[in-house]
Amino acid sequence: MASQAERVEPRIPLSRERVLRAAVSIADSGGIESLTMRRLAEHLGAEAMSLYYHVTNKEDVLDGVVDVIATEINEVVDRIDVPAGGAGWKKAVRQRILAAREVLLRHWWAPGVFETRTTTSMAVLHYYDALLGLLREGGFSYDLAHHAMHALGSRALGFSQELFDPNGGGDGDPAAGLAELAEQLPHLVGMLSEIAHDDPDSTLGWCDDQAEFEFGLDLILDGLDRLRERA
C-alpha cells in the first residue's frame, strides 16, 4: 500500500475557464504586460502548446479575460436590490456603477484591456442591458436612455477614459515632466501643479481616482435626472 508521501495529487485538467482565470491572476500580480502565453503555461504547469486546445492566441485570451471580469461585475451588481422606479433610478444606477468600479479596483489593469477589445463580450452586453433596464424603470424613453449611455461612456462600467497621460505611462510626477513646457502649456502645468490624489488605492488611471470619478458621475446623473423630469 502506498504511503502518504508516495501519493501523487491528481492533476487538474486544463479548461478554457482555468486558463482565463490564470491569466487574470497573472495580470493581478504584475499587470497585463506580464501576461504572455509562456508565462501563462508556466503558471498552469503545462506546456505552452497545450494552451492552444483552449484558447486560439493571446488576443483570444484577452477577449476571454474581459468576459471573466465582466461576469464578476455582473455577479456583484446583480446582488444589489435598490428600487429603480421614478426618482429612485439615480440611486440604483449610481450604486450599480460604483459596485462595478470596486471590481475593477481589484483588477486595476482591466480598463485598459476593455478599451482595446474589438469584439463584444456577451457579459458586457448583459451588464449594459441591465443598466438600461434600470433607466427604463426610472421613466427614461429609449431615446433619452441612448443619450444617457453615450454621456456615461466608460463610466457606466466603472472607469473614466483619460484624455491623455502626461507621464507617458511612466511612474514619475506628471507635473515635473511638463514643467519645462510651462511657457507653451501654462494652464496644463498650472493645473497639474495643484491637483493631488491622496488615495492611490482608489485610482484606475493617473487622474481617475474615486473622488474624480464620483464627481463626474454625479454631474452626469444629475443632468440626466433633470432631462428625465422634463420629459
Side-chain angles (χ1 to χ4, degrees), residues 70-119:
T71 298
E72 183 179 344
I73 289 173
N74 285 332
E75 290 171 353
V76 169
V77 301
D78 286 347
R79 292 196 292 267
I80 299 173
D81 185 17
V82 177
W89 78 272
K90 188 164 65 169
K91 181 178 180 181
V93 167
R94 189 178 194 276
Q95 287 197 17
R96 185 179 184 85
I97 290 174
L98 293 180
R101 183 176 176 84
E102 288 180 10
V103 174
L104 292 181
L105 287 169
R106 295 197 290 271
H107 307 292
W108 49 273
W109 47 270
V113 180
F114 274 75
E115 290 178 333
T116 62
R117 296 302 85 207
T118 57
T119 59

Side-chain angles (χ1 to χ4, degrees), residues 46-65:
E47 295 293 329
M49 289 303 297
S50 65
L51 299 182
Y52 295 105
Y53 289 103
H54 308 284
V55 291
T56 306
N57 49 35
K58 186 175 178 181
E59 288 301 305
D60 188 27
V61 172
L62 295 178
D63 286 341
V65 157

Side-chain angles (χ1 to χ4, degrees), residues 203-220:
T203 301
L204 285 171
W206 81 272
C207 204
D208 179 15
D209 70 3
Q210 194 71 19
E212 298 294 350
F213 181 84
E214 292 189 32
F215 176 82
L217 177 61
D218 288 338
L219 280 178
I220 294 170

